[in-house]
């Protein structure tokens, strides 16, 4: 990714991993970083506190390559999940093209999942956007937990109408990490294509 | 992409690159970058004498994030904006000039270069870049993404992220 040829046309996408604190957003990005070949990724930047909690964002640039004469790049971001970091969370949503909502399967995080989704709606509304405007997929993470709640119970609080694609994941093992990323990327692209 | 974006290529790109080239010479700085507010690099130049720059994507993202945070702070205090942003270290400094509401100009300089010079030429370049980038604003649907593009992108996504 070190050489960038700007003389060509480019298309850049911003994909944001959203969700409650500790649901596994940073873990998703780390897995992508570890797995994508060297020449397709840039450096991962993490603005975190001493105890590894995301303070402002994590950032990972991914290079899809040249598609029909367009150099195509994805910027992946995570937001800080803790409630009191809302000011930074809102900033990261600026210019968002697609969202992966990472929910936590732990039984004591059901409410946190619901609150984070509500917070997402509110923050988008401040940019004059709604969830209908932006492609979003859901990732229900930590399926390996012994006390993992059933998926439909989690879905019932974050997406009661079942409008969004849903993926189960164990991000620490890389399970279900690429599927939602690929799916949301596709949706972002097809949203663009449908306008032409 | 729902919002208008700066699509800088072809003639507009060449004009912007020429402005950056001249800026490097006149201001005697190491690196200059034109970045959009989303944190993407639109164009960049480096002085021939300068060492290889650090990751440009990281610089762009952090500068855009920083500018957004500064703007939010200004709003909290009831100010429309805080313009101008300088960070000075022992050996290098970083100066950010707001070009317009879509783009930022980043200059990285040695601390023995007078900051007045950096700002003077930075502001001049920003004026020119303002005009160029405004002329390059397109709505996403005007980018020319069609079904063909979508299909090849799909195949490449499979390659990169697995089937
Ligand atoms: N058991 C289990 N733990 C996970 C999983 N994904 C992430 N974690 C752990 O959850 C904690 C928080 O993860 P992190 O990615 O920092 O969460 P973030 O706040 O959403 O960025 C870390 O200790 C991770 O190792 C998972 O799939 N299963
Ligand atoms: Mg995190």
């Amino acid at each position: 990714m070190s050489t960038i040829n700007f003389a060509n046309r480019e298309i850049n996408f911003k994909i944001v991993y959203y969700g409650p604190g500790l649901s596994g957003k940073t873990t998703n990005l780390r897995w992508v970083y570890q797995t994508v070949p060297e020449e397709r990724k840039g450096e991962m930047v993490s603005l975190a506190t001493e105890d590894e909690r995301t303070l402002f964002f994590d950032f990972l640039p991914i290079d899809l390559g040249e598609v029909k004469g367009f150099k195509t790049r994805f910027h992946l971001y995570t937001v800080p999940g803790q409630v009191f970091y809302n000011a930074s969370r809102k900033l990261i949503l600026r210019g968002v093209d697609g969202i992966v909502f990472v929910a936590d399967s732990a039984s004591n995080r059901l409410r946190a999942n619901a609150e984070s989704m509500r917070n997402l709606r509110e923050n988008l509304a401040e940019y004059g956007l709604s969830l209908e405007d932006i492609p979003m997929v859901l990732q229900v993470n930590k399926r390996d937990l012994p006390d993992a709640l059933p998926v439909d119970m989690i879905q019932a609080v974050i997406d009661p109408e079942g409008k969004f694609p849903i993926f189960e994941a164990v991000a620490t093992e890389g399970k279900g990490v690429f599927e939602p990323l690929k799916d949301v990327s596709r949706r972002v692209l097809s949203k663009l294509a449908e306008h032409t | 992409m729902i919002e208008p974006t700066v699509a800088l290529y072809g003639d507009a790109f060449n004009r912007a690159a020429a402005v950056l080239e001249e800026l490097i010479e006149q201001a005697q700085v190491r690196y200059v970058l034109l970045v959009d507010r989303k944190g993407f690099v639109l164009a960049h130049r480096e002085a021939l004498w300068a060492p290889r720059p650090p990751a440009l994507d990281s610089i762009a993202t952090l500068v855009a994030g920083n500018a957004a945070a500064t703007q939010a702070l200004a709003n909290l205090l009831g100010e429309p904006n805080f313009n101008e942003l300088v960070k000075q270290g022992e050996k290098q400094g970083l100066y950010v000039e707001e070009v317009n509401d879509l783009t930022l100009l980043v200059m990285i300089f040695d601390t023995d270069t007078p900051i007045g010079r950096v700002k003077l030429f930075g502001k001049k370049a920003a004026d020119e870049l303002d005009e160029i980038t405004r002329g390059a604003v397109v709505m996403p649907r005007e980018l020319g993404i069609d079904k063909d593009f979508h299909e090849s992108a799909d195949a490449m996504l499979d390659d990169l992220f697995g089937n």
Side-chain angles (χ1 to χ4, degrees):
Chain A
M1 276 267 295
S2 48
T3 52
I4 308 175
N5 179 5
F6 292 101
N8 287 338
R9 297 197 288 179
E10 298 192 12
I11 296 197
N12 300 318
F13 298 106
K14 177 171 180 177
I15 292 178
V16 174
Y17 284 73
Y18 211 92
L22 297 178
S23 67
K25 301 175 291 298
T26 300
T27 307
N28 266 273
L29 237 65
R30 285 216 188 102
W31 187 271
V32 174
Y33 179 73
Q34 283 163 16
T35 315
V36 165
E38 203 63 45
E39 68 277 9
R40 295 302 195 85
K41 68 187 175 196
E43 284 175 22
M44 181 161 165
V45 175
S46 285
L47 302 185
T49 58
E50 205 114 303
D51 55 348
E52 298 212 335
R53 304 294 300 267
T54 306
L55 179 63
F56 195 175
F57 57 77
D58 302 299
F59 165 72
L60 175 63
I62 299 282
D63 197 345
L64 184 61
E66 185 155 322
V67 187
K68 298 272 159 194
F70 288 94
K71 191 161 166 50
T72 306
R73 288 187 292 174
F74 292 93
H75 277 186
L76 309 184
Y77 286 83
T78 74
V79 298
Q82 287 136 294
V83 176
F84 50 86
Y85 285 139
N86 195 45
S88 344
R89 215 159 29 239
K90 216 178 305 175
L91 296 179
I92 308 304
L93 282 176
R94 179 180 178 145
V96 62
D97 297 304
I99 296 168
V100 179
F101 186 93
V102 183
D104 194 326
S105 297
S107 56
N108 59 353
R109 299 299 280 164
L110 192 62
R111 176 179 286 273
N113 291 328
E115 274 167 8
S116 177
M117 183 60 83
R118 188 171 60 190
N119 171 258
L120 171 59
R121 285 181 188 282
E122 288 166 357
N123 281 339
L124 285 175
E126 292 203 22
Y127 288 104
L129 296 170
S130 78
L131 284 176
E132 281 64 49
D133 300 317
I134 299 184
M136 179 168 79
V137 302
L138 311 175
Q139 181 196 55
V140 184
N141 190 32
K142 304 198 188 179
R143 295 313 295 157
D144 59 321
L145 289 180
D147 69 337
L149 294 173
V151 173
D152 47 3
M153 194 168 182
I154 297 166
Q155 188 179 25
V157 302
I158 56 176
D159 179 24
E161 294 167 50
K163 281 196 286 194
F164 303 102
I166 192 160
F167 298 88
E168 297 189 34
V170 184
T172 35
E173 297 167 21
K175 286 188 195 145
V177 168
F178 282 111
E179 291 84 349
L181 175 56
K182 199 160 80 172
D183 196 72
V184 78
S185 307
R186 286 224 159 95
R187 283 165 199 277
V188 170
L189 291 168
S190 63
K191 193 170 170 74
L192 272 179
E194 100 202 356
H195 289 294
T196 46
Chain B
M1 256 188 271
I2 311 159
E3 300 175 345
T5 130
V6 180
L8 204 60
Y9 62 92
D11 183 47
F13 174 82
N14 291 332
R15 286 172 62 210
V19 171
L20 296 185
E21 195 79 57
E22 196 183 353
L23 177 59
I24 280 267
E25 292 287 316
Q26 291 182 322
Q28 291 177 5
V29 295
R30 285 184 170 209
Y31 317 113
V32 294
L33 295 87
L34 178 65
V35 309
D36 73 12
R37 299 269 187 172
K38 282 171 74 169
F40 289 95
V41 181
L42 298 175
H44 70 96
R45 280 292 180 271
E46 49 199 84
L48 291 173
W49 49 267
R52 185 194 296 278
L56 299 177
D57 287 303
S58 307
I59 295 176
T61 285
L62 290 170
V63 165
N66 200 3
T70 304
Q71 170 86 59
L73 276 173
N75 294 347
L76 278 180
L77 297 178
E79 292 289 333
N81 200 359
F82 290 139
N83 48 19
E84 209 171 82
L85 195 146
V86 194
K87 312 257 179 230
Q88 274 195 281
E90 217 166 275
K91 297 206 180 75
Q92 292 174 74
L94 183 145
Y95 175 72
V96 179
E97 179 70 35
E98 305 206 307
V99 174
N100 47 40
D101 53 0
L102 289 166
T103 55
L104 303 162
L105 174 64
V106 186
M107 303 167 73
I108 295 166
F109 54 95
D110 288 15
T111 38
D112 50 18
T113 303
I115 180 75
R117 180 184 194 112
V118 174
K119 287 186 185 176
L120 176 73
F121 288 108
K123 286 190 200 303
K124 177 172 156 268
D127 281 345
E128 295 172 45
L129 292 168
D130 177 32
E131 190 245 310
I132 297 170
T133 51
R134 276 187 203 288
V137 172
V138 296
M139 291 307 289
R141 65 176 176 284
E142 298 163 348
L143 280 170
I145 305 230
D146 53 12
K147 218 163 145 264
D148 237 23
F149 174 93
H150 187 207
E151 276 162 15
S152 13
D154 260 9
M156 292 176 80
L157 283 169
D158 280 338
D159 278 353
L160 187 58
F161 297 149
N163 262 306

